[in-house]
Amino acid sequence: MKLDSALTNSRPPQYRGTKLSTRHLNLFYGPCQALRDITLDIPERAITAIIGPSGCGKSSFLRIFNRMNDLIPGARVEGSVELDGIDIYHRSIDVVELRKRVGMVFQKPNPFPMSVFENVAFGPRRHGRVSRGELQDIVESSLHQAALWEEVKDKLDQSAFDLSGGQQQRLCIARVLAVEPEVILMDEPCSALDPVATLKIEDLMRRLAEKYTIIIVTHNMQQAARASDVSAFLLMEGDICGVLVEHGPTAELFTKPKDRRTEDYITGRFG
Amino acid sequence: MRKRSASIAIARDARTKGLQRRWRVGERVIEGGIFLASLLAIVVLLGIVAVLLRQGLPIFAHTPPWEFLFGTKWYPVSEPPTFGTTTFFVATIWVPVVATVIAVPIGVACAAYLAEVAPSSVRESVKPVIELLAGIPSVVIGFIGLLLLSPLVQSMFNLNTGLSGLAAGIMLSLMSLPIIVSVSEDALRAIPDEFRQAAYALGATRWEVVRHVSIPAALSGISAAIMLGVGRAIGETMTVLMIAGGALAVPVSPTQPMMPMTAAIASGIGNAVRGGPQYQALFAIGLLLFLITLAVNLIADRVLERQKRKFVR
Ligand SMILES: Nc1ncnc2c1ncn2[C@@H]1O[C@H](COP(=O)(O)OP(=O)(O)O)[C@@H](O)[C@H]1O
Ligand SMILES: [Mg+2]
């Protein structure tokens, strides 16, 4: 299997602490249950891949961690979700502060209809007074971190829409980095990109994982195998309900899956 | 059997002719119809301009253009008559300015509330009511201004009369409000949700999302809404005729009674001798009014175009 060679990149995650954890997590959209009884630890400063077929609840699961599901009328969460041991669904939690610590990159690149500079400056501008000089520094270092600086340093005042799709997605990553989060959630960040742009983003993720905890949703098995340290496999059971079938170090999950359904899915035998 | 062979024949026919250019009659008719309709609109517009020019321009043989534009004395029946229109022009600036200053913040805030905050049940019941406001005849708005607003304005600002540019502007703001709310709300609702999602995910509050994402993204639509509102305020006649006060002195403050260009035309045209100098002067005012609204529209177009070019996907 081609996956094996890709796996040599990934590092053993067992030395790292736990950044995020869910315990007996249930998610409902009105009367429909989207996730059932999910208990999972997300290791710190590593890349965790969430894999599974379309509609099994991967995006819903990802939105649990920055409480984006709060924006959906009728969405309800049961169980506990902890960030550094703190229950993020507790009444005393300020979602604005939470989302500063847990950033998100979306499936389709969604830069604001503003200049490249203003896109990156958006977060810092909202979160307190920063001088023009500080802002400049933040924007530059964020773009550097997102491996985009060289390509856009002369276009900071141009519309973000003038960039290519891959550049736009890295701009969205820079925009998240500018807020200095601890966790970055990525929902199929490469699904709208070509293979070259995809590899650039994966490269970038690898480097970012030295500093940040990353959770990536992907339905590309190669990508999960190449780019992640830990994988979790979700599947729908019954009508719509997403359950966690198996999770563990990516190398093990892909070479020695414990569950028959995982094996079927990663070898592409799944319906 | 016959049917079958016929269909085979058609199939063969289609095989040979499949790539031939077809004369699509329906398309041609529709295209031609649309072309004629737009031609008609242009012809009508040119016709209006021609009438205004033909009836209005002769006044400049009597009163030179600069005197017409910058003169402050409008004495159409004295001997010799003078036709300075500055008074009307300044009033036509004051009234829409007052209306816009009031209607824009309220209208945009209202649109933002409806589009971004209100639950859909509230939006669906409030929006038709606001649009209904646009259907109130301007005479009725004039009555209300005369009856309720002008005494209020008079006592609040301690004036000799409440009939003033201010009173007219306030009533006109009521008339441009529905346009501004309705068009701005549509513009805000057309902004893709992904921008809002991105902002929320960066830790923006709802107010910040509205203020820094939705409104800037919808700015071209909102400016169009404002321009439509301004256009309405410039062109409105009956309300200003009833409550602007109709004074013939150049107004230096909106609290003074004044006579905007529309009111001047409407009140003067009945007494003017057909083809006489006053008649010509009134048509020339109409021409000026036409040029002003044209300029407002052109400027709006330019602004929108620039806005669009900057940030289209
Ligand atoms: N906003 C929503 N409202 C109601 N149901 C939703 C919403 N978003 C997702 N769902 C449902 O939740 C389930 C999981 O969806 P999603 O998390 O998008 O899956 P995935 O990302 O794995 O494709 C699906 O059945 C979907 O219909
Ligand atoms: Mg998804």
mmCIF file of all heavy atoms in Angstrom, chain A residues 68 71 96 99 104 106 108-115 122 126-127 159 161 175-176 179, chain B residues 194-205 208-209 212-213 216-217 310-313:
data_model
loop_
_atom_site.group_PDB
_atom_site.id
_atom_site.type_symbol
_atom_site.label_atom_id
_atom_site.label_comp_id
_atom_site.label_asym_id
_atom_site.label_seq_id
_atom_site.Cartn_x
_atom_site.Cartn_y
_atom_site.Cartn_z
ATOM 1 N N MET A 68 -18.434 26.931 17.332
ATOM 2 C CA MET A 68 -19.119 27.531 16.184
ATOM 3 C C MET A 68 -20.531 26.970 16.042
ATOM 4 O O MET A 68 -21.381 27.557 15.387
ATOM 5 C CB MET A 68 -18.327 27.281 14.890
ATOM 6 C CG MET A 68 -17.095 28.153 14.745
ATOM 7 S SD MET A 68 -17.449 29.906 14.637
ATOM 8 C CE MET A 68 -17.720 30.045 12.864
ATOM 9 N N LEU A 71 -23.678 29.028 16.766
ATOM 10 C CA LEU A 71 -24.319 29.927 15.802
ATOM 11 C C LEU A 71 -25.475 29.242 15.078
ATOM 12 O O LEU A 71 -26.236 29.888 14.374
ATOM 13 C CB LEU A 71 -23.305 30.422 14.759
ATOM 14 C CG LEU A 71 -22.108 31.207 15.288
ATOM 15 C CD1 LEU A 71 -21.128 31.500 14.172
ATOM 16 C CD2 LEU A 71 -22.590 32.502 15.925
ATOM 17 N N VAL A 96 -15.744 34.580 22.855
ATOM 18 C CA VAL A 96 -14.783 35.415 22.139
ATOM 19 C C VAL A 96 -13.353 35.034 22.538
ATOM 20 O O VAL A 96 -12.485 34.834 21.690
ATOM 21 C CB VAL A 96 -15.051 36.911 22.413
ATOM 22 C CG1 VAL A 96 -13.885 37.750 21.944
ATOM 23 C CG2 VAL A 96 -16.330 37.344 21.719
ATOM 24 N N ARG A 99 -12.481 31.600 21.130
ATOM 25 C CA ARG A 99 -12.168 31.574 19.698
ATOM 26 C C ARG A 99 -10.841 32.258 19.393
ATOM 27 O O ARG A 99 -10.253 32.043 18.334
ATOM 28 C CB ARG A 99 -13.311 32.207 18.901
ATOM 29 C CG ARG A 99 -14.536 31.305 18.891
ATOM 30 C CD ARG A 99 -15.697 31.915 18.164
ATOM 31 N NE ARG A 99 -16.896 31.103 18.367
ATOM 32 C CZ ARG A 99 -18.122 31.579 18.371
ATOM 33 N NH1 ARG A 99 -18.328 32.870 18.168
ATOM 34 N NH2 ARG A 99 -19.154 30.786 18.568
ATOM 35 N N MET A 104 -9.811 28.856 13.391
ATOM 36 C CA MET A 104 -10.397 27.917 12.436
ATOM 37 C C MET A 104 -10.116 28.331 10.994
ATOM 38 O O MET A 104 -10.191 29.507 10.647
ATOM 39 C CB MET A 104 -11.908 27.847 12.656
ATOM 40 C CG MET A 104 -12.599 26.796 11.803
ATOM 41 S SD MET A 104 -14.283 26.529 12.384
ATOM 42 C CE MET A 104 -14.505 24.815 11.958
ATOM 43 N N PHE A 106 -11.370 27.358 7.084
ATOM 44 C CA PHE A 106 -12.547 26.721 6.505
ATOM 45 C C PHE A 106 -12.227 25.964 5.222
ATOM 46 O O PHE A 106 -11.147 26.097 4.642
ATOM 47 C CB PHE A 106 -13.622 27.771 6.236
ATOM 48 C CG PHE A 106 -14.150 28.407 7.497
ATOM 49 C CD1 PHE A 106 -13.437 29.409 8.141
ATOM 50 C CD2 PHE A 106 -15.351 27.988 8.047
ATOM 51 C CE1 PHE A 106 -13.912 29.984 9.305
ATOM 52 C CE2 PHE A 106 -15.834 28.565 9.213
ATOM 53 C CZ PHE A 106 -15.113 29.557 9.840
ATOM 54 N N LYS A 108 -13.602 26.203 2.147
ATOM 55 C CA LYS A 108 -13.393 27.064 0.998
ATOM 56 C C LYS A 108 -12.635 28.286 1.503
ATOM 57 O O LYS A 108 -13.032 28.870 2.504
ATOM 58 C CB LYS A 108 -14.772 27.475 0.461
ATOM 59 C CG LYS A 108 -14.765 27.997 -0.943
ATOM 60 C CD LYS A 108 -16.216 28.206 -1.401
ATOM 61 C CE LYS A 108 -16.311 29.500 -2.153
ATOM 62 N NZ LYS A 108 -17.558 30.209 -1.936
ATOM 63 N N PRO A 109 -11.538 28.673 0.841
ATOM 64 C CA PRO A 109 -10.835 29.876 1.291
ATOM 65 C C PRO A 109 -11.834 31.035 1.382
ATOM 66 O O PRO A 109 -12.570 31.275 0.427
ATOM 67 C CB PRO A 109 -9.807 30.129 0.180
ATOM 68 C CG PRO A 109 -9.646 28.825 -0.518
ATOM 69 C CD PRO A 109 -10.940 28.084 -0.375
ATOM 70 N N ASN A 110 -11.885 31.684 2.528
ATOM 71 C CA ASN A 110 -12.870 32.761 2.675
ATOM 72 C C ASN A 110 -12.248 34.048 3.205
ATOM 73 O O ASN A 110 -12.620 34.540 4.258
ATOM 74 C CB ASN A 110 -14.032 32.321 3.573
ATOM 75 C CG ASN A 110 -13.573 31.882 4.957
ATOM 76 O OD1 ASN A 110 -12.371 31.786 5.201
ATOM 77 N ND2 ASN A 110 -14.491 31.642 5.852
ATOM 78 N N PRO A 111 -11.269 34.608 2.460
ATOM 79 C CA PRO A 111 -10.731 35.899 2.894
ATOM 80 C C PRO A 111 -11.848 36.942 2.848
ATOM 81 O O PRO A 111 -12.803 36.794 2.090
ATOM 82 C CB PRO A 111 -9.655 36.211 1.855
ATOM 83 C CG PRO A 111 -10.013 35.404 0.661
ATOM 84 C CD PRO A 111 -10.696 34.178 1.173
ATOM 85 N N PHE A 112 -11.711 37.975 3.677
ATOM 86 C CA PHE A 112 -12.682 39.063 3.666
ATOM 87 C C PHE A 112 -12.505 39.888 2.390
ATOM 88 O O PHE A 112 -11.410 39.920 1.822
ATOM 89 C CB PHE A 112 -12.471 39.986 4.864
ATOM 90 C CG PHE A 112 -12.696 39.319 6.186
ATOM 91 C CD1 PHE A 112 -11.704 39.323 7.152
ATOM 92 C CD2 PHE A 112 -13.896 38.697 6.470
ATOM 93 C CE1 PHE A 112 -11.911 38.712 8.386
ATOM 94 C CE2 PHE A 112 -14.114 38.087 7.699
ATOM 95 C CZ PHE A 112 -13.122 38.089 8.651
ATOM 96 N N PRO A 113 -13.556 40.580 1.968
ATOM 97 C CA PRO A 113 -13.415 41.458 0.798
ATOM 98 C C PRO A 113 -12.637 42.712 1.166
ATOM 99 O O PRO A 113 -13.157 43.814 1.154
ATOM 100 C CB PRO A 113 -14.861 41.770 0.408
ATOM 101 C CG PRO A 113 -15.664 41.533 1.635
ATOM 102 C CD PRO A 113 -14.934 40.521 2.454
ATOM 103 N N MET A 114 -11.393 42.532 1.526
ATOM 104 C CA MET A 114 -10.522 43.645 1.932
ATOM 105 C C MET A 114 -9.131 43.367 1.366
ATOM 106 O O MET A 114 -8.910 42.348 0.743
ATOM 107 C CB MET A 114 -10.378 43.690 3.457
ATOM 108 C CG MET A 114 -11.651 43.721 4.226
ATOM 109 S SD MET A 114 -11.291 43.416 5.955
ATOM 110 C CE MET A 114 -12.945 43.297 6.608
ATOM 111 N N SER A 115 -8.204 44.258 1.687
ATOM 112 C CA SER A 115 -6.845 44.054 1.215
ATOM 113 C C SER A 115 -6.193 42.897 1.967
ATOM 114 O O SER A 115 -6.681 42.467 3.009
ATOM 115 C CB SER A 115 -6.022 45.324 1.429
ATOM 116 O OG SER A 115 -5.831 45.535 2.806
ATOM 117 N N PHE A 122 -7.230 41.900 10.737
ATOM 118 C CA PHE A 122 -8.599 41.903 11.263
ATOM 119 C C PHE A 122 -8.675 41.474 12.726
ATOM 120 O O PHE A 122 -9.236 42.179 13.563
ATOM 121 C CB PHE A 122 -9.494 41.001 10.403
ATOM 122 C CG PHE A 122 -10.948 41.061 10.782
ATOM 123 C CD1 PHE A 122 -11.791 42.001 10.210
ATOM 124 C CD2 PHE A 122 -11.482 40.189 11.729
ATOM 125 C CE1 PHE A 122 -13.126 42.066 10.568
ATOM 126 C CE2 PHE A 122 -12.816 40.252 12.095
ATOM 127 C CZ PHE A 122 -13.639 41.195 11.502
ATOM 128 N N ARG A 126 -9.481 43.782 16.214
ATOM 129 C CA ARG A 126 -10.669 43.566 17.043
ATOM 130 C C ARG A 126 -10.282 43.358 18.503
ATOM 131 O O ARG A 126 -11.029 43.690 19.400
ATOM 132 C CB ARG A 126 -11.456 42.343 16.571
ATOM 133 C CG ARG A 126 -11.984 42.391 15.149
ATOM 134 C CD ARG A 126 -13.100 43.400 14.965
ATOM 135 N NE ARG A 126 -12.585 44.741 14.695
ATOM 136 C CZ ARG A 126 -12.100 45.136 13.528
ATOM 137 N NH1 ARG A 126 -12.051 44.321 12.511
ATOM 138 N NH2 ARG A 126 -11.679 46.372 13.368
ATOM 139 N N HIS A 127 -9.106 42.776 18.720
ATOM 140 C CA HIS A 127 -8.776 42.361 20.086
ATOM 141 C C HIS A 127 -7.827 43.320 20.774
ATOM 142 O O HIS A 127 -6.778 42.943 21.255
ATOM 143 C CB HIS A 127 -8.193 40.947 20.067
ATOM 144 C CG HIS A 127 -9.097 39.948 19.422
ATOM 145 N ND1 HIS A 127 -10.428 39.839 19.757
ATOM 146 C CD2 HIS A 127 -8.898 39.039 18.447
ATOM 147 C CE1 HIS A 127 -10.990 38.899 19.032
ATOM 148 N NE2 HIS A 127 -10.092 38.401 18.219
ATOM 149 N N SER A 159 -6.548 43.658 -3.227
ATOM 150 C CA SER A 159 -7.643 42.839 -2.741
ATOM 151 C C SER A 159 -7.167 41.404 -2.542
ATOM 152 O O SER A 159 -6.399 40.872 -3.338
ATOM 153 C CB SER A 159 -8.783 42.841 -3.744
ATOM 154 O OG SER A 159 -9.690 41.801 -3.452
ATOM 155 N N PHE A 161 -8.780 38.930 -3.036
ATOM 156 C CA PHE A 161 -9.331 38.083 -4.102
ATOM 157 C C PHE A 161 -8.419 38.016 -5.324
ATOM 158 O O PHE A 161 -8.644 37.220 -6.224
ATOM 159 C CB PHE A 161 -10.722 38.564 -4.511
ATOM 160 C CG PHE A 161 -11.723 38.507 -3.395
ATOM 161 C CD1 PHE A 161 -12.735 39.436 -3.305
ATOM 162 C CD2 PHE A 161 -11.646 37.509 -2.428
ATOM 163 C CE1 PHE A 161 -13.650 39.387 -2.258
ATOM 164 C CE2 PHE A 161 -12.557 37.447 -1.393
ATOM 165 C CZ PHE A 161 -13.561 38.385 -1.309
ATOM 166 N N ARG A 175 -4.255 34.807 8.834
ATOM 167 C CA ARG A 175 -5.256 35.592 9.552
ATOM 168 C C ARG A 175 -5.535 34.967 10.922
ATOM 169 O O ARG A 175 -5.730 35.667 11.914
ATOM 170 C CB ARG A 175 -6.533 35.612 8.697
ATOM 171 C CG ARG A 175 -7.639 36.448 9.204
ATOM 172 C CD ARG A 175 -8.740 36.542 8.175
ATOM 173 N NE ARG A 175 -9.401 35.252 7.945
ATOM 174 C CZ ARG A 175 -10.404 35.078 7.087
ATOM 175 N NH1 ARG A 175 -10.836 36.094 6.369
ATOM 176 N NH2 ARG A 175 -10.950 33.902 6.938
ATOM 177 N N VAL A 176 -5.544 33.627 10.960
ATOM 178 C CA VAL A 176 -5.740 32.933 12.228
ATOM 179 C C VAL A 176 -4.497 33.092 13.111
ATOM 180 O O VAL A 176 -4.599 33.358 14.305
ATOM 181 C CB VAL A 176 -6.041 31.439 11.983
ATOM 182 C CG1 VAL A 176 -5.971 30.650 13.276
ATOM 183 C CG2 VAL A 176 -7.414 31.276 11.339
ATOM 184 N N VAL A 179 -3.907 36.126 15.441
ATOM 185 C CA VAL A 179 -4.609 36.206 16.727
ATOM 186 C C VAL A 179 -3.841 35.442 17.803
ATOM 187 O O VAL A 179 -4.195 35.483 18.974
ATOM 188 C CB VAL A 179 -6.053 35.665 16.562
ATOM 189 C CG1 VAL A 179 -6.864 35.809 17.828
ATOM 190 C CG2 VAL A 179 -6.765 36.397 15.434
ATOM 191 N N GLU B 194 -20.081 32.994 4.655
ATOM 192 C CA GLU B 194 -18.719 32.562 4.972
ATOM 193 C C GLU B 194 -17.862 33.692 5.546
ATOM 194 O O GLU B 194 -16.974 33.457 6.340
ATOM 195 C CB GLU B 194 -18.050 31.977 3.730
ATOM 196 C CG GLU B 194 -18.131 32.907 2.541
ATOM 197 C CD GLU B 194 -17.688 32.221 1.250
ATOM 198 O OE1 GLU B 194 -18.393 31.300 0.825
ATOM 199 O OE2 GLU B 194 -16.653 32.615 0.708
ATOM 200 N N PHE B 195 -18.151 34.951 5.151
ATOM 201 C CA PHE B 195 -17.413 36.074 5.730
ATOM 202 C C PHE B 195 -17.729 36.208 7.210
ATOM 203 O O PHE B 195 -16.851 36.420 8.039
ATOM 204 C CB PHE B 195 -17.766 37.398 5.042
ATOM 205 C CG PHE B 195 -17.390 37.435 3.579
ATOM 206 C CD1 PHE B 195 -18.149 38.183 2.687
ATOM 207 C CD2 PHE B 195 -16.297 36.744 3.102
ATOM 208 C CE1 PHE B 195 -17.815 38.223 1.344
ATOM 209 C CE2 PHE B 195 -15.956 36.775 1.767
ATOM 210 C CZ PHE B 195 -16.717 37.524 0.882
ATOM 211 N N ARG B 196 -19.033 36.092 7.527
ATOM 212 C CA ARG B 196 -19.428 36.204 8.933
ATOM 213 C C ARG B 196 -18.823 35.060 9.737
ATOM 214 O O ARG B 196 -18.289 35.278 10.825
ATOM 215 C CB ARG B 196 -20.949 36.165 9.046
ATOM 216 C CG ARG B 196 -21.628 37.357 8.418
ATOM 217 C CD ARG B 196 -23.137 37.338 8.661
ATOM 218 N NE ARG B 196 -23.762 38.352 7.844
ATOM 219 C CZ ARG B 196 -24.306 38.129 6.657
ATOM 220 N NH1 ARG B 196 -24.342 36.903 6.181
ATOM 221 N NH2 ARG B 196 -24.814 39.132 5.949
ATOM 222 N N GLN B 197 -18.893 33.856 9.173
ATOM 223 C CA GLN B 197 -18.325 32.689 9.864
ATOM 224 C C GLN B 197 -16.855 32.934 10.191
ATOM 225 O O GLN B 197 -16.403 32.678 11.302
ATOM 226 C CB GLN B 197 -18.421 31.462 8.953
ATOM 227 C CG GLN B 197 -19.831 31.036 8.638
ATOM 228 C CD GLN B 197 -20.344 29.993 9.605
ATOM 229 O OE1 GLN B 197 -19.555 29.261 10.187
ATOM 230 N NE2 GLN B 197 -21.649 29.935 9.792
ATOM 231 N N ALA B 198 -16.118 33.422 9.174
ATOM 232 C CA ALA B 198 -14.687 33.654 9.371
ATOM 233 C C ALA B 198 -14.469 34.652 10.497
ATOM 234 O O ALA B 198 -13.593 34.473 11.344
ATOM 235 C CB ALA B 198 -14.060 34.166 8.078
ATOM 236 N N ALA B 199 -15.283 35.700 10.533
ATOM 237 C CA ALA B 199 -15.101 36.730 11.560
ATOM 238 C C ALA B 199 -15.438 36.195 12.951
ATOM 239 O O ALA B 199 -14.695 36.414 13.902
ATOM 240 C CB ALA B 199 -15.966 37.950 11.238
ATOM 241 N N TYR B 200 -16.546 35.471 13.043
ATOM 242 C CA TYR B 200 -16.894 34.883 14.342
ATOM 243 C C TYR B 200 -15.781 33.958 14.811
ATOM 244 O O TYR B 200 -15.407 33.957 15.974
ATOM 245 C CB TYR B 200 -18.201 34.095 14.249
ATOM 246 C CG TYR B 200 -19.438 34.944 14.307
ATOM 247 C CD1 TYR B 200 -20.365 34.939 13.281
ATOM 248 C CD2 TYR B 200 -19.689 35.755 15.416
ATOM 249 C CE1 TYR B 200 -21.510 35.718 13.329
ATOM 250 C CE2 TYR B 200 -20.827 36.534 15.480
ATOM 251 C CZ TYR B 200 -21.738 36.512 14.428
ATOM 252 O OH TYR B 200 -22.857 37.288 14.494
ATOM 253 N N ALA B 201 -15.228 33.172 13.881
ATOM 254 C CA ALA B 201 -14.191 32.216 14.261
ATOM 255 C C ALA B 201 -12.924 32.925 14.732
ATOM 256 O O ALA B 201 -12.112 32.341 15.429
ATOM 257 C CB ALA B 201 -13.876 31.280 13.100
ATOM 258 N N LEU B 202 -12.757 34.193 14.330
ATOM 259 C CA LEU B 202 -11.594 34.952 14.801
ATOM 260 C C LEU B 202 -11.883 35.632 16.134
ATOM 261 O O LEU B 202 -11.064 36.385 16.646
ATOM 262 C CB LEU B 202 -11.199 36.008 13.769
ATOM 263 C CG LEU B 202 -10.548 35.485 12.486
ATOM 264 C CD1 LEU B 202 -10.500 36.581 11.438
ATOM 265 C CD2 LEU B 202 -9.150 34.972 12.776
ATOM 266 N N GLY B 203 -13.058 35.391 16.669
ATOM 267 C CA GLY B 203 -13.390 35.957 17.968
ATOM 268 C C GLY B 203 -14.057 37.315 17.884
ATOM 269 O O GLY B 203 -14.024 38.087 18.833
ATOM 270 N N ALA B 204 -14.657 37.638 16.734
ATOM 271 C CA ALA B 204 -15.374 38.908 16.635
ATOM 272 C C ALA B 204 -16.740 38.766 17.298
ATOM 273 O O ALA B 204 -17.334 37.697 17.284
ATOM 274 C CB ALA B 204 -15.544 39.302 15.171
ATOM 275 N N THR B 205 -17.224 39.857 17.893
ATOM 276 C CA THR B 205 -18.564 39.852 18.459
ATOM 277 C C THR B 205 -19.562 40.168 17.342
ATOM 278 O O THR B 205 -19.168 40.562 16.249
ATOM 279 C CB THR B 205 -18.704 40.916 19.554
ATOM 280 O OG1 THR B 205 -18.460 42.191 18.951
ATOM 281 C CG2 THR B 205 -17.698 40.691 20.662
ATOM 282 N N GLU B 208 -19.184 43.600 16.025
ATOM 283 C CA GLU B 208 -17.985 43.736 15.178
ATOM 284 C C GLU B 208 -18.200 43.112 13.808
ATOM 285 O O GLU B 208 -17.705 43.618 12.804
ATOM 286 C CB GLU B 208 -16.781 43.093 15.875
ATOM 287 C CG GLU B 208 -16.307 43.897 17.075
ATOM 288 C CD GLU B 208 -15.262 43.163 17.909
ATOM 289 O OE1 GLU B 208 -15.200 41.922 17.857
ATOM 290 O OE2 GLU B 208 -14.515 43.832 18.628
ATOM 291 N N VAL B 209 -18.921 42.007 13.777
ATOM 292 C CA VAL B 209 -19.192 41.368 12.488
ATOM 293 C C VAL B 209 -20.032 42.295 11.608
ATOM 294 O O VAL B 209 -19.730 42.507 10.433
ATOM 295 C CB VAL B 209 -19.894 40.002 12.685
ATOM 296 C CG1 VAL B 209 -20.337 39.442 11.340
ATOM 297 C CG2 VAL B 209 -18.966 39.032 13.381
ATOM 298 N N HIS B 212 -17.750 45.633 10.920
ATOM 299 C CA HIS B 212 -16.483 45.518 10.193
ATOM 300 C C HIS B 212 -16.495 44.514 9.043
ATOM 301 O O HIS B 212 -15.549 44.449 8.282
ATOM 302 C CB HIS B 212 -15.351 45.161 11.165
ATOM 303 C CG HIS B 212 -15.104 46.214 12.193
ATOM 304 N ND1 HIS B 212 -14.506 47.421 11.902
ATOM 305 C CD2 HIS B 212 -15.410 46.262 13.513
ATOM 306 C CE1 HIS B 212 -14.436 48.158 12.993
ATOM 307 N NE2 HIS B 212 -14.977 47.478 13.977
ATOM 308 N N VAL B 213 -17.522 43.684 8.969
ATOM 309 C CA VAL B 213 -17.563 42.711 7.875
ATOM 310 C C VAL B 213 -18.782 42.936 6.977
ATOM 311 O O VAL B 213 -18.651 43.258 5.803
ATOM 312 C CB VAL B 213 -17.564 41.259 8.411
ATOM 313 C CG1 VAL B 213 -17.671 40.273 7.258
ATOM 314 C CG2 VAL B 213 -16.305 41.002 9.218
ATOM 315 N N PRO B 216 -19.211 46.806 5.475
ATOM 316 C CA PRO B 216 -18.230 47.099 4.417
ATOM 317 C C PRO B 216 -18.433 46.232 3.177
ATOM 318 O O PRO B 216 -18.311 46.718 2.055
ATOM 319 C CB PRO B 216 -16.880 46.784 5.073
ATOM 320 C CG PRO B 216 -17.116 46.885 6.529
ATOM 321 C CD PRO B 216 -18.540 46.501 6.759
ATOM 322 N N ALA B 217 -18.766 44.961 3.376
ATOM 323 C CA ALA B 217 -18.926 44.080 2.212
ATOM 324 C C ALA B 217 -20.146 44.488 1.387
ATOM 325 O O ALA B 217 -20.170 44.315 0.178
ATOM 326 C CB ALA B 217 -19.054 42.631 2.663
ATOM 327 N N LYS B 310 -12.809 46.880 -6.951
ATOM 328 C CA LYS B 310 -11.823 46.657 -5.919
ATOM 329 C C LYS B 310 -11.911 45.252 -5.335
ATOM 330 O O LYS B 310 -10.916 44.596 -5.115
ATOM 331 C CB LYS B 310 -12.057 47.671 -4.795
ATOM 332 C CG LYS B 310 -10.806 48.142 -4.124
ATOM 333 C CD LYS B 310 -11.131 49.402 -3.340
ATOM 334 C CE LYS B 310 -9.993 49.840 -2.482
ATOM 335 N NZ LYS B 310 -10.348 51.034 -1.716
ATOM 336 N N PHE B 311 -13.116 44.794 -5.095
ATOM 337 C CA PHE B 311 -13.243 43.570 -4.313
ATOM 338 C C PHE B 311 -14.179 42.527 -4.901
ATOM 339 O O PHE B 311 -14.906 41.889 -4.179
ATOM 340 C CB PHE B 311 -13.730 43.917 -2.905
ATOM 341 C CG PHE B 311 -12.716 44.695 -2.123
ATOM 342 C CD1 PHE B 311 -13.049 45.911 -1.556
ATOM 343 C CD2 PHE B 311 -11.438 44.208 -1.958
ATOM 344 C CE1 PHE B 311 -12.110 46.625 -0.838
ATOM 345 C CE2 PHE B 311 -10.499 44.920 -1.239
ATOM 346 C CZ PHE B 311 -10.837 46.132 -0.675
ATOM 347 N N VAL B 312 -14.169 42.358 -6.213
ATOM 348 C CA VAL B 312 -15.008 41.270 -6.719
ATOM 349 C C VAL B 312 -14.211 39.980 -6.702
ATOM 350 O O VAL B 312 -12.991 39.976 -6.799
ATOM 351 C CB VAL B 312 -15.512 41.500 -8.157
ATOM 352 C CG1 VAL B 312 -16.711 42.394 -8.139
ATOM 353 C CG2 VAL B 312 -14.422 42.029 -9.025
ATOM 354 N N ARG B 313 -14.920 38.909 -6.576
ATOM 355 C CA ARG B 313 -14.286 37.603 -6.606
ATOM 356 C C ARG B 313 -14.001 37.194 -8.017
ATOM 357 O O ARG B 313 -14.858 37.320 -8.859
ATOM 358 C CB ARG B 313 -15.225 36.564 -5.987
ATOM 359 C CG ARG B 313 -14.742 36.231 -4.628
ATOM 360 C CD ARG B 313 -15.629 35.196 -3.988
ATOM 361 N NE ARG B 313 -15.391 35.313 -2.578
ATOM 362 C CZ ARG B 313 -14.618 34.468 -1.914
ATOM 363 N NH1 ARG B 313 -14.071 33.458 -2.507
ATOM 364 N NH2 ARG B 313 -14.430 34.621 -0.644
#
